Amino acid sequence: MSQREEVLSVLDRLADAWNSGDGDAYGACFTEDADYVTFFGLRSEGRQAIADSHRELFQGPLKGSKLTGFGEPRVRFLRDDVAVIVTGGGSSLTGGEDPAAEGRESTLTYVLVRGDAGWRITAFQNTRVSKPWEA
């Protein structure tokens, strides 16, 4: 498996955990000290906080939601053990395939690091796509 495939497989695991409603598996994709910034600016610090908040979300407002990615991810390796991925994605509250149809399309930025346990996300930023000139 190429290095590119390795880092993208982390995003696959992340989506699988979301789509299964598994907050612990979702959190396991992150480093112990990860930073996680939601589309509305809420910041969570650390794997445990990410897992805990997603466990609650998957049992509540995001129950049955589906996480999807779209577009070709841009993957850059800053070093052999640090990668940045910028890609499109979003969540559908209805479980559909098109988050944009629900106004939930985002641009997502991930910083991944490779350690003894393999690749994990150490920083994540979700920015909701909008067209302010059309407001």
Side-chain angles (χ1 to χ4, degrees):
M1 181 181 294
S2 73
Q3 217 174 13
R4 177 184 168 84
E5 291 169 327
E6 287 177 18
V7 295
L8 290 176
S9 74
V10 176
L11 302 191
D12 290 340
R13 286 196 314 272
L14 191 72
D16 289 345
W18 181 294
N19 295 336
S20 298
D22 187 339
D24 292 324
Y26 190 84
C29 295
F30 293 85
T31 61
E32 198 68 42
D33 62 348
D35 288 295
Y36 188 100
V37 182
T38 68
F39 71 90
F40 52 85
L42 180 66
R43 180 175 170 218
S44 294
E45 295 181 46
R47 177 187 301 147
Q48 192 62 54
I50 295 165
D52 292 346
S53 64
H54 282 81
R55 193 177 316 106
E56 289 181 35
L57 287 167
F58 295 151
Q59 292 172 1
L62 296 180
K63 186 174 185 170
S65 65
K66 184 172 183 180
L67 187 66
T68 59
F70 44 84
E72 183 62 29
R74 180 172 187 220
V75 180
R76 294 182 297 136
F77 290 92
L78 305 181
R79 299 188 324 215
D80 285 343
D81 61 347
V82 179
V84 176
I85 301 173
V86 178
T87 191
S91 59
S92 166
L93 296 179
T94 64
E97 295 289 329
D98 184 11
E102 297 175 40
R104 298 181 59 82
E105 178 183 5
S106 291
T107 298
L108 310 168
T109 304
Y110 301 87
V111 179
L112 290 87
V113 294
R114 185 177 55 210
D116 293 339
W119 288 97
R120 288 218 167 106
I121 302 162
T122 195
F124 167 78
Q125 170 75 48
N126 178 349
T127 304
R128 189 70 83 215
V129 173
S130 66
K131 296 178 182 170
W133 57 87
E134 293 180 5

